[in-house]
Amino acid sequence: MSKDNADHLRAELKSLADTLEEVLSNSGEKSKEELSKLRGKAEQALRDSRHRLGETGDILARQTREAAARTDEYVRENPWASVGIGAAIGVMLGVLLTRR
């Protein structure tokens, strides 16, 4: 996940949380009409957040597919280097796990 996507996700969740907090904190002292407006605002914020988070999920899925395709291409073009890298990672993981 890129830093921009992570920042966007944090900002989106904060906005949704702020809206819901406003609804919950003000619900005891509001009239029925005001509560209806707050509820509408919260529902709209939730719909907007779902839409934007869905877009972020689509972007992340596309980036993951692109990275997988590049990795696949590299492995096909450099099979022995890939075997060496895999072996080195295996040795490092083995060393790290035996230290525990």
Side-chain angles (χ1 to χ4, degrees):
M1 176 182 261
S2 73
K3 182 170 177 7
D4 288 341
N5 286 338
D7 290 343
H8 174 73
L9 183 60
R10 274 191 213 97
E12 190 62 41
L13 292 174
K14 183 180 181 328
S15 173
L16 180 60
D18 290 346
T19 301
L20 294 176
E21 184 178 339
E22 178 186 353
V23 170
L24 292 173
S25 67
N26 292 327
S27 62
E29 53 197 56
K30 299 289 183 183
S31 69
K32 190 173 182 177
E33 182 180 322
E34 290 172 322
L35 285 175
S36 179
K37 286 180 184 178
L38 283 173
R39 181 177 178 182
K41 182 178 178 182
E43 288 172 347
Q44 184 62 43
L46 184 58
R47 279 192 298 274
D48 291 347
S49 294
R50 281 184 179 162
H51 177 71
R52 287 191 290 262
L53 291 174
E55 289 174 350
T56 301
D58 292 343
I59 291 168
L60 291 174
R62 182 177 36 83
Q63 289 173 345
T64 301
R65 284 191 300 272
E66 290 171 359
R70 285 193 301 268
T71 302
D72 184 58
E73 183 180 324
Y74 178 83
V75 169
R76 289 178 190 275
E77 291 175 1
N78 304 293
W80 288 110
S82 301
V83 168
I85 291 169
I89 290 172
V91 168
M92 286 190 305
L93 285 175
V95 169
L96 291 173
L97 291 174
T98 57
R99 288 185 178 182
R100 289 184 172 200

Coordinates of all heavy atoms in Angstrom, one line a residue:
M1 N 0.9 -1.2 0.0 CA 0.0 0.0 0.0 C 0.9 1.2 0.0 O 1.8 1.4 0.8 CB -0.9 0.0 1.3 CG -1.7 1.2 1.4 SD -2.7 1.1 2.9 CE -4.3 0.6 2.3
S2 N 0.7 2.1 -0.9 CA 1.5 3.3 -1.0 C 1.1 4.3 0.1 O 0.1 4.2 0.7 CB 1.3 4.0 -2.4 OG 0.1 4.6 -2.4
K3 N 2.1 5.2 0.4 CA 1.8 6.2 1.4 C 0.6 7.1 1.1 O -0.2 7.4 2.0 CB 3.1 7.1 1.6 CG 2.9 8.1 2.7 CD 4.2 8.7 3.0 CE 4.2 9.8 4.1 NZ 3.1 10.1 4.8
D4 N 0.4 7.4 -0.1 CA -0.7 8.3 -0.5 C -2.0 7.5 -0.2 O -3.0 8.1 0.3 CB -0.7 8.7 -2.0 CG 0.4 9.7 -2.3 OD1 0.8 10.4 -1.3 OD2 0.8 9.8 -3.4
N5 N -2.1 6.2 -0.6 CA -3.3 5.4 -0.3 C -3.5 5.3 1.2 O -4.7 5.3 1.6 CB -3.2 4.0 -1.0 CG -3.3 4.1 -2.5 OD1 -3.9 5.1 -3.0 ND2 -2.8 3.1 -3.2
A6 N -2.5 5.0 1.9 CA -2.6 4.9 3.4 C -3.1 6.2 4.0 O -4.0 6.2 4.8 CB -1.3 4.5 4.0
D7 N -2.6 7.3 3.5 CA -3.0 8.6 4.1 C -4.5 8.9 3.7 O -5.2 9.4 4.5 CB -2.1 9.7 3.5 CG -0.7 9.7 4.1 OD1 -0.5 9.1 5.1 OD2 0.2 10.4 3.5
H8 N -4.8 8.5 2.5 CA -6.2 8.7 2.0 C -7.1 7.9 2.8 O -8.2 8.3 3.3 CB -6.3 8.3 0.5 CG -7.7 8.4 0.0 ND1 -8.4 9.5 -0.2 CD2 -8.5 7.4 -0.3 CE1 -9.6 9.2 -0.7 NE2 -9.7 7.9 -0.7
L9 N -6.8 6.6 3.1 CA -7.6 5.7 3.9 C -7.7 6.3 5.3 O -8.9 6.3 5.9 CB -7.0 4.3 3.9 CG -7.7 3.3 4.6 CD1 -9.1 3.0 4.0 CD2 -6.9 2.0 4.6
R10 N -6.7 6.7 5.9 CA -6.7 7.3 7.3 C -7.7 8.5 7.3 O -8.5 8.7 8.2 CB -5.3 7.7 7.8 CG -4.6 6.6 8.4 CD -3.3 7.1 9.1 NE -2.3 6.1 9.0 CZ -1.4 6.1 8.1 NH1 -1.2 7.0 7.2 NH2 -0.5 5.1 8.1
A11 N -7.5 9.4 6.3 CA -8.3 10.6 6.3 C -9.8 10.3 6.1 O -10.7 10.9 6.7 CB -7.9 11.5 5.1
E12 N -10.1 9.3 5.2 CA -11.5 8.9 5.0 C -12.1 8.3 6.3 O -13.2 8.6 6.6 CB -11.5 7.8 3.9 CG -12.8 7.5 3.4 CD -13.6 8.7 2.8 OE1 -12.9 9.5 2.1 OE2 -14.7 8.9 3.1
L13 N -11.4 7.4 6.9 CA -11.9 6.8 8.2 C -12.0 7.9 9.3 O -13.0 7.8 10.0 CB -11.0 5.7 8.6 CG -11.0 4.5 7.7 CD1 -9.9 3.5 8.2 CD2 -12.3 3.8 7.7
K14 N -11.1 8.8 9.4 CA -11.3 9.9 10.4 C -12.5 10.7 10.1 O -13.2 11.1 11.0 CB -10.0 10.8 10.4 CG -10.1 11.9 11.5 CD -8.9 12.7 11.5 CE -8.9 13.8 12.5 NZ -10.1 14.4 12.9
S15 N -12.7 11.1 8.8 CA -13.9 11.9 8.5 C -15.2 11.1 8.8 O -16.1 11.7 9.4 CB -13.9 12.1 7.0 OG -15.1 12.8 6.6
L16 N -15.2 9.8 8.5 CA -16.4 9.0 8.9 C -16.6 9.0 10.4 O -17.7 9.2 10.9 CB -16.3 7.6 8.3 CG -17.4 6.7 8.6 CD1 -18.8 7.2 8.0 CD2 -17.2 5.3 8.0
A17 N -15.5 8.7 11.1 CA -15.6 8.7 12.6 C -16.0 10.0 13.2 O -16.8 10.0 14.1 CB -14.2 8.3 13.1
D18 N -15.5 11.1 12.6 CA -15.9 12.4 13.1 C -17.4 12.7 12.9 O -18.1 13.2 13.8 CB -15.1 13.5 12.5 CG -13.7 13.6 12.9 OD1 -13.3 12.9 13.9 OD2 -12.9 14.2 12.2
T19 N -17.9 12.3 11.8 CA -19.3 12.5 11.5 C -20.2 11.6 12.4 O -21.2 12.1 13.0 CB -19.6 12.1 10.0 OG1 -18.8 13.0 9.2 CG2 -21.1 12.3 9.7
L20 N -19.8 10.4 12.6 CA -20.6 9.5 13.5 C -20.5 10.0 14.9 O -21.5 9.9 15.6 CB -20.1 8.1 13.3 CG -20.4 7.4 11.9 CD1 -19.8 6.0 11.8 CD2 -21.8 7.4 11.6
E21 N -19.3 10.5 15.3 CA -19.2 11.0 16.7 C -20.1 12.2 16.9 O -20.7 12.3 17.9 CB -17.7 11.4 16.9 CG -17.5 11.8 18.3 CD -16.0 12.2 18.6 OE1 -15.1 11.7 17.8 OE2 -15.7 12.9 19.5
E22 N -20.2 13.0 15.9 CA -21.1 14.2 16.0 C -22.5 13.7 16.2 O -23.3 14.3 17.0 CB -21.0 15.1 14.7 CG -21.9 16.3 14.7 CD -21.9 17.0 13.4 OE1 -21.0 16.7 12.5 OE2 -22.7 17.9 13.3
V23 N -22.9 12.7 15.4 CA -24.3 12.2 15.5 C -24.5 11.7 16.9 O -25.6 11.9 17.5 CB -24.5 11.2 14.4 CG1 -25.9 10.4 14.6 CG2 -24.5 11.8 13.0
L24 N -23.6 10.9 17.4 CA -23.8 10.2 18.7 C -23.8 11.2 19.8 O -24.6 11.1 20.8 CB -22.8 9.1 18.9 CG -22.9 7.9 17.9 CD1 -21.7 7.0 18.1 CD2 -24.2 7.2 18.2
S25 N -22.9 12.2 19.8 CA -22.7 13.1 20.9 C -23.9 14.1 21.0 O -24.2 14.6 22.0 CB -21.4 13.8 20.8 OG -21.4 14.7 19.7
N26 N -24.5 14.4 19.8 CA -25.6 15.4 19.8 C -27.0 14.8 19.8 O -27.9 15.5 19.8 CB -25.4 16.3 18.6 CG -24.2 17.1 18.7 OD1 -23.8 17.6 19.7 ND2 -23.6 17.4 17.5
S27 N -27.1 13.5 19.8 CA -28.4 12.9 19.7 C -29.3 13.1 20.9 O -30.5 13.2 20.7 CB -28.2 11.4 19.4 OG -27.6 10.7 20.5
G28 N -28.7 13.3 22.1 CA -29.6 13.4 23.3 C -30.2 14.8 23.4 O -31.2 14.9 24.1
E29 N -29.7 15.8 22.8 CA -30.2 17.1 23.0 C -30.8 17.7 21.7 O -31.0 18.9 21.6 CB -29.0 18.0 23.4 CG -27.8 17.9 22.5 CD -26.5 18.4 23.2 OE1 -26.1 17.9 24.2 OE2 -25.9 19.3 22.6
K30 N -31.1 16.9 20.8 CA -31.7 17.4 19.5 C -33.1 17.0 19.4 O -33.6 16.0 19.9 CB -30.9 16.8 18.3 CG -29.4 17.2 18.2 CD -29.2 18.6 17.9 CE -27.8 18.9 17.8 NZ -27.5 20.3 17.5
S31 N -33.8 17.8 18.6 CA -35.2 17.5 18.3 C -35.3 16.4 17.2 O -34.3 16.0 16.6 CB -35.9 18.7 17.7 OG -35.4 19.0 16.4
K32 N -36.5 15.9 17.0 CA -36.6 14.8 16.0 C -36.2 15.2 14.6 O -35.5 14.4 13.9 CB -38.1 14.3 16.0 CG -38.3 13.1 15.2 CD -39.8 12.6 15.4 CE -40.0 11.3 14.7 NZ -41.3 10.7 14.8
E33 N -36.5 16.4 14.3 CA -36.1 16.9 12.9 C -34.6 17.0 12.8 O -34.0 16.7 11.8 CB -36.8 18.3 12.7 CG -36.4 18.9 11.3 CD -37.1 20.2 11.1 OE1 -38.2 20.4 11.5 OE2 -36.4 21.1 10.5
E34 N -34.0 17.6 13.9 CA -32.5 17.7 13.9 C -31.8 16.3 13.8 O -30.8 16.1 13.2 CB -32.0 18.5 15.1 CG -32.4 20.0 15.0 CD -32.1 20.7 16.3 OE1 -32.3 20.1 17.4 OE2 -31.7 21.8 16.2
L35 N -32.4 15.4 14.6 CA -31.9 14.0 14.6 C -32.0 13.4 13.2 O -31.1 12.7 12.7 CB -32.6 13.1 15.6 CG -32.2 13.4 17.1 CD1 -33.1 12.5 18.0 CD2 -30.8 13.0 17.3
S36 N -33.1 13.7 12.5 CA -33.3 13.2 11.2 C -32.2 13.7 10.2 O -31.7 13.0 9.4 CB -34.7 13.5 10.7 OG -34.9 13.0 9.4
K37 N -31.9 15.0 10.4 CA -30.9 15.6 9.5 C -29.5 15.0 9.8 O -28.7 14.7 8.9 CB -30.8 17.2 9.8 CG -32.0 17.9 9.2 CD -31.9 19.4 9.5 CE -33.1 20.1 8.9 NZ -33.0 21.6 9.3
L38 N -29.2 14.8 11.1 CA -27.9 14.2 11.5 C -27.8 12.8 11.0 O -26.7 12.4 10.5 CB -27.7 14.3 13.0 CG -27.3 15.6 13.7 CD1 -27.4 15.5 15.2 CD2 -26.0 16.0 13.2
R39 N -28.9 12.1 11.1 CA -28.9 10.7 10.6 C -28.7 10.7 9.1 O -27.9 9.9 8.5 CB -30.2 10.0 10.9 CG -30.2 8.6 10.4 CD -31.5 7.9 10.8 NE -31.4 6.6 10.2 CZ -32.4 5.7 10.3 NH1 -33.5 6.0 11.0 NH2 -32.3 4.5 9.8
G40 N -29.3 11.6 8.3 CA -29.1 11.7 6.9 C -27.6 12.1 6.6 O -27.1 11.5 5.7
K41 N -27.1 13.0 7.4 CA -25.6 13.3 7.2 C -24.7 12.1 7.4 O -23.8 11.9 6.6 CB -25.3 14.5 8.1 CG -23.9 15.0 8.0 CD -23.6 16.1 9.0 CE -22.1 16.5 8.9 NZ -21.8 17.6 9.8
A42 N -25.0 11.4 8.5 CA -24.2 10.2 8.8 C -24.4 9.1 7.7 O -23.4 8.5 7.2 CB -24.6 9.6 10.1
E43 N -25.6 8.9 7.2 CA -25.8 8.0 6.1 C -25.1 8.4 4.8 O -24.5 7.5 4.2 CB -27.3 7.8 5.9 CG -28.0 7.0 7.0 CD -29.5 7.0 6.8 OE1 -30.1 7.8 5.9 OE2 -30.2 6.2 7.5
Q44 N -25.1 9.7 4.5 CA -24.4 10.2 3.3 C -22.9 10.0 3.5 O -22.2 9.6 2.5 CB -24.7 11.6 3.1 CG -24.1 12.2 1.8 CD -24.6 11.5 0.6 OE1 -25.8 11.2 0.4 NE2 -23.7 11.1 -0.3
A45 N -22.4 10.3 4.7 CA -20.9 10.1 4.9 C -20.6 8.6 4.8 O -19.5 8.3 4.2 CB -20.6 10.6 6.3
L46 N -21.4 7.7 5.3 CA -21.1 6.3 5.1 C -21.2 5.9 3.7 O -20.3 5.2 3.2 CB -22.2 5.5 6.0 CG -22.0 4.0 6.0 CD1 -20.6 3.7 6.6 CD2 -23.1 3.4 6.8
R47 N -22.1 6.3 2.9 CA -22.2 6.0 1.5 C -20.9 6.5 0.7 O -20.3 5.8 0.0 CB -23.4 6.6 0.8 CG -24.7 5.7 1.1 CD -25.8 6.2 0.2 NE -26.3 7.5 0.4 CZ -27.1 7.9 1.4 NH1 -27.7 7.0 2.1 NH2 -27.5 9.2 1.5
D48 N -20.6 7.8 1.0 CA -19.4 8.4 0.4 C -18.1 7.6 0.7 O -17.3 7.3 -0.1 CB -19.3 9.8 0.8 CG -20.4 10.7 0.2 OD1 -21.1 10.3 -0.7 OD2 -20.5 11.9 0.7
S49 N -18.0 7.3 2.0 CA -16.8 6.5 2.5 C -16.8 5.2 1.8 O -15.7 4.7 1.4 CB -16.9 6.4 4.0 OG -16.7 7.6 4.6
R50 N -17.9 4.5 1.7 CA -17.9 3.2 1.1 C -17.5 3.3 -0.4 O -16.7 2.5 -0.9 CB -19.3 2.5 1.2 CG -19.6 1.9 2.5 CD -21.0 1.2 2.4 NE -21.2 0.6 3.7 CZ -22.4 0.3 4.1 NH1 -23.5 0.5 3.3 NH2 -22.6 -0.3 5.3
H51 N -18.0 4.3 -1.0 CA -17.6 4.5 -2.4 C -16.1 4.8 -2.6 O -15.4 4.1 -3.4 CB -18.4 5.7 -3.0 CG -18.1 6.0 -4.4 ND1 -18.4 5.2 -5.5 CD2 -17.4 7.0 -5.0 CE1 -17.9 5.7 -6.6 NE2 -17.3 6.8 -6.3
R52 N -15.6 5.7 -1.8 CA -14.2 6.1 -1.9 C -13.3 4.9 -1.5 O -12.2 4.7 -2.1 CB -13.9 7.4 -1.1 CG -14.5 8.6 -1.8 CD -14.0 9.9 -1.2 NE -14.5 10.1 0.1 CZ -15.5 10.9 0.4 NH1 -16.1 11.5 -0.6 NH2 -15.9 11.1 1.6
L53 N -13.7 4.2 -0.4 CA -12.9 3.1 0.0 C -12.9 2.0 -1.0 O -11.9 1.2 -1.2 CB -13.3 2.6 1.4 CG -13.1 3.6 2.6 CD1 -13.7 3.0 3.8 CD2 -11.6 3.8 2.8
G54 N -14.0 1.8 -1.7 CA -14.1 0.8 -2.8 C -13.1 1.2 -3.9 O -12.5 0.3 -4.4
E55 N -13.0 2.5 -4.2 CA -12.1 2.9 -5.2 C -10.7 2.7 -4.8 O -9.9 2.2 -5.6 CB -12.3 4.4 -5.5 CG -13.6 4.8 -6.2 CD -13.8 6.3 -6.3 OE1 -13.0 7.1 -5.7 OE2 -14.7 6.7 -7.1
T56 N -10.4 2.9 -3.5 CA -9.0 2.7 -3.0 C -8.7 1.2 -3.0 O -7.6 0.8 -3.4 CB -8.9 3.2 -1.5 OG1 -9.2 4.6 -1.5 CG2 -7.5 2.9 -1.0
G57 N -9.7 0.3 -2.7 CA -9.5 -1.1 -2.8 C -9.2 -1.6 -4.2 O -8.4 -2.4 -4.5
D58 N -9.9 -0.9 -5.2 CA -9.7 -1.3 -6.6 C -8.3 -0.9 -7.0 O -7.6 -1.6 -7.8 CB -10.7 -0.5 -7.5 CG -12.1 -1.1 -7.3 OD1 -12.3 -2.2 -6.8 OD2 -13.1 -0.4 -7.7
I59 N -7.8 0.3 -6.6 CA -6.5 0.7 -6.9 C -5.5 -0.2 -6.3 O -4.5 -0.6 -7.0 CB -6.3 2.2 -6.4 CG1 -7.1 3.2 -7.2 CG2 -4.8 2.5 -6.4 CD1 -7.2 4.6 -6.6
L60 N -5.7 -0.6 -5.1 CA -4.7 -1.6 -4.4 C -4.7 -2.9 -5.1 O -3.7 -3.5 -5.3 CB -5.1 -1.7 -2.9 CG -4.8 -0.5 -2.1 CD1 -5.4 -0.8 -0.7 CD2 -3.4 -0.2 -2.0
A61 N -5.9 -3.4 -5.5 CA -6.0 -4.6 -6.3 C -5.2 -4.6 -7.6 O -4.5 -5.5 -8.0 CB -7.4 -5.0 -6.5
R62 N -5.4 -3.4 -8.3 CA -4.7 -3.2 -9.6 C -3.2 -3.2 -9.4 O -2.4 -3.8 -10.1 CB -5.2 -2.0 -10.3 CG -4.5 -1.7 -11.6 CD -5.0 -0.5 -12.3 NE -5.4 0.6 -11.5 CZ -4.5 1.5 -11.1 NH1 -3.2 1.4 -11.3 NH2 -4.9 2.6 -10.4
Q63 N -2.7 -2.5 -8.3 CA -1.3 -2.4 -8.0 C -0.7 -3.8 -7.7 O 0.4 -4.1 -8.1 CB -1.0 -1.4 -6.9 CG -1.3 0.0 -7.3 CD -1.2 1.0 -6.1 OE1 -1.2 0.6 -5.0 NE2 -1.1 2.3 -6.4
T64 N -1.5 -4.5 -6.9 CA -1.1 -5.9 -6.6 C -0.9 -6.8 -7.8 O 0.0 -7.5 -8.0 CB -2.0 -6.5 -5.6 OG1 -2.1 -5.7 -4.4 CG2 -1.6 -7.9 -5.1
R65 N -1.9 -6.7 -8.7 CA -1.9 -7.5 -10.0 C -0.7 -7.1 -10.8 O 0.0 -7.9 -11.4 CB -3.2 -7.3 -10.7 CG -4.3 -8.1 -10.2 CD -5.5 -8.1 -11.1 NE -6.0 -6.8 -11.5 CZ -7.0 -6.2 -10.7 NH1 -7.5 -6.7 -9.7 NH2 -7.4 -5.0 -11.1
E66 N -0.4 -5.8 -10.9 CA 0.7 -5.3 -11.7 C 2.1 -5.8 -11.1 O 3.0 -6.2 -11.8 CB 0.7 -3.8 -11.7 CG -0.4 -3.2 -12.6 CD -0.5 -1.7 -12.5 OE1 0.2 -1.0 -11.8 OE2 -1.4 -1.2 -13.2
A67 N 2.2 -5.7 -9.7 CA 3.4 -6.2 -9.1 C 3.6 -7.7 -9.3 O 4.7 -8.2 -9.6 CB 3.3 -5.9 -7.6
A68 N 2.5 -8.5 -9.2 CA 2.5 -9.9 -9.4 C 3.0 -10.2 -10.9 O 3.8 -11.1 -11.1 CB 1.2 -10.6 -9.1
A69 N 2.4 -9.4 -11.8 CA 2.8 -9.6 -13.2 C 4.3 -9.3 -13.5 O 5.0 -10.1 -14.2 CB 1.9 -8.8 -14.1
R70 N 4.8 -8.2 -12.9 CA 6.2 -7.9 -13.0 C 7.1 -9.0 -12.4 O 8.1 -9.3 -12.9 CB 6.5 -6.5 -12.4 CG 6.0 -5.4 -13.2 CD 6.5 -4.0 -12.7 NE 6.2 -3.8 -11.3 CZ 5.1 -3.1 -10.9 NH1 4.3 -2.6 -11.8 NH2 4.9 -2.9 -9.6
T71 N 6.6 -9.5 -11.2 CA 7.4 -10.5 -10.6 C 7.4 -11.8 -11.4 O 8.5 -12.4 -11.6 CB 6.8 -10.9 -9.2 OG1 6.8 -9.7 -8.4 CG2 7.6 -11.9 -8.5
D72 N 6.3 -12.2 -12.0 CA 6.2 -13.3 -12.8 C 7.1 -13.2 -14.1 O 7.8 -14.1 -14.4 CB 4.7 -13.5 -13.3 CG 4.6 -14.8 -14.1 OD1 4.9 -15.9 -13.6 OD2 4.1 -14.7 -15.2
E73 N 7.1 -12.0 -14.6 CA 7.9 -11.7 -15.8 C 9.4 -11.8 -15.4 O 10.2 -12.4 -16.2 CB 7.6 -10.3 -16.3 CG 8.4 -9.9 -17.6 CD 8.0 -8.6 -18.1 OE1 6.8 -8.2 -18.0 OE2 8.9 -7.9 -18.6
Y74 N 9.8 -11.3 -14.3 CA 11.2 -11.3 -13.9 C 11.6 -12.8 -13.6 O 12.7 -13.2 -14.1 CB 11.4 -10.5 -12.6 CG 12.8 -10.6 -12.1 CD1 13.8 -9.8 -12.6 CD2 13.2 -11.6 -11.1 CE1 15.1 -9.9 -12.1 CE2 14.5 -11.7 -10.6 CZ 15.4 -10.8 -11.2 OH 16.7 -10.9 -10.7
V75 N 10.8 -13.6 -13.0 CA 11.1 -15.0 -12.7 C 11.2 -15.7 -14.0 O 12.1 -16.6 -14.2 CB 10.0 -15.6 -11.8 CG1 10.2 -17.1 -11.7 CG2 10.1 -15.0 -10.4
R76 N 10.4 -15.5 -15.0 CA 10.5 -16.2 -16.3 C 11.7 -15.8 -17.0 O 12.4 -16.6 -17.7 CB 9.2 -15.9 -17.1 CG 8.0 -16.6 -16.6 CD 6.8 -16.2 -17.5 NE 5.6 -16.6 -16.9 CZ 5.1 -17.9 -17.0 NH1 5.7 -18.8 -17.7 NH2 3.9 -18.2 -16.4
E77 N 12.1 -14.5 -16.9 CA 13.3 -14.0 -17.6 C 14.6 -14.4 -16.9 O 15.7 -14.5 -17.5 CB 13.3 -12.5 -17.8 CG 12.2 -12.1 -18.8 CD 12.1 -10.6 -18.9 OE1 12.8 -9.9 -18.2 OE2 11.2 -10.1 -19.7
N78 N 14.6 -14.6 -15.6 CA 15.8 -14.8 -14.8 C 15.5 -16.0 -13.8 O 15.5 -15.8 -12.6 CB 16.1 -13.6 -14.0 CG 16.3 -12.4 -14.8 OD1 17.3 -12.4 -15.6 ND2 15.4 -11.4 -14.8
P79 N 15.3 -17.2 -14.3 CA 14.9 -18.3 -13.4 C 16.0 -18.6 -12.4 O 15.7 -18.9 -11.2 CB 14.7 -19.5 -14.4 CG 15.4 -19.1 -15.6 CD 15.4 -17.6 -15.7
W80 N 17.3 -18.6 -12.8 CA 18.3 -19.0 -11.8 C 18.5 -17.9 -10.8 O 18.8 -18.3 -9.6 CB 19.6 -19.3 -12.5 CG 19.5 -20.6 -13.3 CD1 19.4 -20.8 -14.6 CD2 19.3 -21.9 -12.7 NE1 19.3 -22.1 -14.9 CE2 19.2 -22.8 -13.8 CE3 19.3 -22.4 -11.4 CZ2 19.0 -24.2 -13.5 CZ3 19.1 -23.8 -11.2 CH2 19.0 -24.6 -12.2
A81 N 18.4 -16.7 -11.1 CA 18.5 -15.6 -10.2 C 17.4 -15.7 -9.2 O 17.5 -15.5 -8.0 CB 18.5 -14.3 -10.8
S82 N 16.2 -16.1 -9.7 CA 15.0 -16.2 -8.8 C 15.2 -17.4 -7.8 O 14.8 -17.3 -6.6 CB 13.8 -16.5 -9.6 OG 13.6 -15.4 -10.5
V83 N 15.8 -18.5 -8.3 CA 16.1 -19.6 -7.4 C 17.1 -19.2 -6.3 O 16.9 -19.5 -5.2 CB 16.6 -20.8 -8.2 CG1 17.2 -21.9 -7.3 CG2 15.5 -21.4 -9.1
G84 N 18.1 -18.4 -6.7 CA 19.1 -18.0 -5.8 C 18.5 -17.1 -4.7 O 18.8 -17.2 -3.5
I85 N 17.6 -16.2 -5.2 CA 17.0 -15.2 -4.2 C 16.1 -16.0 -3.3 O 16.1 -15.8 -2.1 CB 16.1 -14.2 -5.0 CG1 17.1 -13.2 -5.7 CG2 15.2 -13.4 -4.1 CD1 16.4 -12.3 -6.7
G86 N 15.3 -17.0 -3.8 CA 14.4 -17.8 -3.0 C 15.2 -18.6 -2.0 O 14.8 -18.7 -0.8
A87 N 16.4 -19.1 -2.4 CA 17.2 -19.9 -1.5 C 17.8 -19.0 -0.4 O 17.8 -19.4 0.8 CB 18.3 -20.6 -2.2
A88 N 18.2 -17.8 -0.7 CA 18.8 -16.9 0.3 C 17.7 -16.5 1.3 O 18.0 -16.4 2.5 CB 19.3 -15.6 -0.5
I89 N 16.5 -16.2 0.8 CA 15.4 -15.9 1.7 C 15.1 -17.0 2.6 O 14.9 -16.8 3.8 CB 14.2 -15.4 0.9 CG1 14.4 -14.1 0.3 CG2 12.9 -15.3 1.8 CD1 13.3 -13.6 -0.7
G90 N 15.1 -18.2 2.1 CA 14.9 -19.4 2.9 C 15.9 -19.6 4.0 O 15.6 -19.9 5.1
V91 N 17.2 -19.4 3.6 CA 18.3 -19.5 4.6 C 18.1 -18.4 5.7 O 18.2 -18.7 6.9 CB 19.7 -19.4 3.9 CG1 20.8 -19.2 5.0 CG2 19.9 -20.6 3.1
M92 N 17.8 -17.2 5.3 CA 17.6 -16.1 6.3 C 16.5 -16.4 7.2 O 16.6 -16.2 8.5 CB 17.4 -14.8 5.6 CG 18.6 -14.2 5.0 SD 18.5 -12.5 4.4 CE 17.1 -12.6 3.3
L93 N 15.3 -16.9 6.7 CA 14.2 -17.2 7.5 C 14.6 -18.4 8.5 O 14.2 -18.4 9.7 CB 13.0 -17.6 6.7 CG 12.3 -16.5 6.0 CD1 11.2 -17.0 5.1 CD2 11.7 -15.5 7.0
G94 N 15.3 -19.4 8.0 CA 15.7 -20.5 8.8 C 16.6 -20.0 10.0 O 16.4 -20.5 11.1
V95 N 17.5 -19.1 9.7 CA 18.4 -18.6 10.8 C 17.5 -17.8 11.8 O 17.7 -18.0 13.0 CB 19.5 -17.7 10.1 CG1 20.2 -16.9 11.2 CG2 20.5 -18.6 9.3
L96 N 16.7 -17.0 11.3 CA 15.8 -16.2 12.2 C 14.9 -17.0 13.1 O 14.7 -16.8 14.2 CB 15.0 -15.2 11.4 CG 15.8 -14.0 10.8 CD1 14.9 -13.2 9.9 CD2 16.5 -13.1 11.8
L97 N 14.4 -18.1 12.5 CA 13.4 -18.9 13.2 C 14.2 -19.8 14.2 O 13.6 -20.1 15.3 CB 12.6 -19.8 12.3 CG 11.6 -19.0 11.4 CD1 10.9 -19.9 10.4 CD2 10.5 -18.4 12.3
T98 N 15.4 -20.2 13.9 CA 16.1 -21.1 14.9 C 16.7 -20.3 16.1 O 16.9 -20.8 17.1 CB 17.3 -21.8 14.2 OG1 18.2 -20.8 13.6 CG2 16.8 -22.8 13.2
R99 N 16.7 -19.0 16.0 CA 17.2 -18.1 17.1 C 16.2 -18.0 18.1 O 16.4 -17.6 19.3 CB 17.6 -16.7 16.6 CG 18.9 -16.7 15.8 CD 19.2 -15.3 15.5 NE 20.5 -15.3 14.7 CZ 21.1 -14.2 14.3 NH1 20.6 -13.0 14.6 NH2 22.2 -14.3 13.7
R100 N 14.9 -18.2 17.8 CA 13.8 -18.1 18.8 C 13.9 -19.2 19.7 O 13.7 -19.8 20.5 CB 12.5 -18.0 18.1 CG 12.3 -16.7 17.4 CD 11.0 -16.7 16.8 NE 10.8 -15.3 16.3 CZ 9.6 -14.8 16.0 NH1 8.5 -15.4 16.3 NH2 9.5 -13.6 15.5

